Amino acid sequence: MSEAPVLNANDRLQGFLASVPYIRFLGMRCELAGDEMTAILPFAPHLIGNTMLPALHGGVIGAFLEMTALAQLSVVQHTPKVHKTIDVTIEYLRPGRALTTYARADLRKVGRRIANVTVEAWQEARGTPVAALRGHFMLSSDE
Amino acid sequence: MDAPEDAIADQARHMVETVPQAAALGFRLISVGDSRGSILVPWRAELVGDPATDVIASGVVTSLLDHCCGLAINSSKGERFPTATLDLRIDYMRPAAPRAAITALAHCYKMTRSIAFVRAEAWDVDPADPIATAQAAFILHGASAPR
């Protein structure tokens, strides 16, 4: 394996996103500005959980937050393996409307084996988040 | 089967088969009634979360558990009415088997006028050996979710 240069963060991120079929199923993508990553989930009809409002499925919002955490971890941890989710607590603050949703992850602590991560998602305004996640992730090693 | 049970089963089928996200994931109704609901999600390649192992994504399990909790709530009310998830906690005990379908069972064990409390489990092969468990709180009348 060749040395992965530090500047390669975006390649690692895009490589992770492209490798996970479920991320393509959601239609999620990520943009990296320096070390700050924003995850983007464009609205699509198959993401709806409530047709009356309409609103995004709660599970979709939870999954998007979790995938944002895993994507952010893929930026800082070079490993070909996918890190494993241990637990997540998802707090729903507002209905997710039929709009593009954005999320950013905050790596509170990245230890040798465990990462503690919080993620917040919003739609029209960052100051009025639709949901937040707090989770623990088991970091995969290179072996 | 008496009429209320028929109504519950019809609502449940509607909820599991026609909600767009549920249909997109291929959810199948297994059972409903007695404040409980059970749904299966078949494995398919586009739902994989770990390409190295072909295991279904934990995000799919999140949607399954959330939906199953809603099904259990509707089963205990005997009608379909809007709910919104307030809080959902999921513990992932172990990865599912490669290419395995996942089944979830949820139980709405307490309902107040405005809040439903639900527990759920998901497994691949044996219900006694779950891959994930969930604890959730839902607000009833989804349109008036907290702002």
Side-chain angles (χ1 to χ4, degrees):
Chain A
M1 200 173 90
S2 60
E3 286 286 315
V6 178
L7 290 174
N8 231 353
N10 193 50
D11 290 347
R12 282 202 300 278
L13 172 63
Q14 301 306 332
F16 166 76
L17 296 173
S19 74
V20 178
Y22 176 69
I23 286 178
R24 294 199 298 272
F25 171 83
L26 283 179
M28 166 184 170
R29 57 193 171 82
C30 293
E31 287 174 3
L32 201 58
D35 65 348
E36 190 171 75
M37 189 198 81
T38 305
I40 301 159
L41 182 68
F43 171 75
H46 76 286
L47 304 179
I48 288 177
N50 179 329
T51 46
M52 316 262 268
L53 288 176
L56 297 176
H57 197 285
V60 166
I61 294 173
F64 173 56
L65 291 166
E66 184 190 334
M67 290 300 143
T68 301
L70 289 170
Q72 184 75 67
L73 285 169
S74 80
V75 174
V76 298
Q77 287 277 345
H78 348 201
T79 163
K81 289 189 186 168
V82 177
H83 303 302
K84 290 196 172 52
T85 310
I86 300 167
D87 63 57
V88 293
T89 303
I90 304 153
E91 178 182 33
Y92 293 90
L93 300 163
R94 292 175 181 80
R97 295 159 57 208
L99 298 169
T100 300
T101 310
Y102 305 91
R104 274 193 195 151
D106 178 14
L107 303 179
R108 307 284 296 194
K109 184 190 170 191
V110 180
R112 268 190 328 115
R113 300 181 62 208
I114 306 287
N116 303 51
V117 186
T118 61
V119 187
E120 200 165 78
W122 71 95
Q123 292 186 319
E124 285 176 304
R126 178 106 202 245
T128 52
V130 294
L133 172 146
R134 191 164 54 84
H136 299 96
F137 298 83
M138 180 76 75
L139 300 173
S140 301
S141 55
D142 279 324
E143 314 109 55
Chain B
M1 199 188 268
D2 63 30
E5 284 182 10
D6 274 345
I8 290 175
D10 284 348
Q11 295 290 358
R13 256 190 300 279
H14 184 268
M15 183 176 172
V16 172
E17 288 166 14
T18 66
V19 168
Q21 169 65 9
L25 289 171
F27 284 0
R28 288 186 210 151
L29 177 67
I30 300 297
S31 65
V32 64
D34 192 26
S35 303
R36 288 171 171 81
S38 181
I39 301 173
L40 177 142
V41 57
W43 183 91
R44 66 178 206 270
E46 64 176 321
L47 303 183
V48 163
D50 184 349
T53 61
D54 266 358
V55 169
I56 208 162
S58 49
V60 177
V61 180
T62 304
S63 278
L64 176 68
L65 287 166
D66 184 57
H67 209 75
C68 215
C69 288
L71 181 64
I73 294 166
N74 287 337
S75 148
S76 51
K77 289 288 277 192
E79 61 183 292
R80 176 145 196 244
F81 67 114
T83 62
T85 319
L86 270 182
D87 174 74
L88 174 64
R89 149 93 191 201
I90 304 178
D91 294 325
Y92 293 96
M93 265 77 84
R94 63 176 177 86
R99 297 177 168 250
I102 309 296
T103 308
L105 172 66
H107 178 210
C108 176
Y109 62 93
K110 173 68 183 175
M111 191 178 295
T112 70
R113 276 178 56 225
S114 52
I115 306 291
F117 299 92
V118 191
R119 288 194 190 103
E121 299 191 336
W123 65 90
D124 47 4
V125 179
D126 180 359
D129 183 21
I131 59 161
T133 60
Q135 168 80 49
F138 287 73
I139 188 156
L140 309 177
H141 323 116
S144 58
R147 278 167 197 282

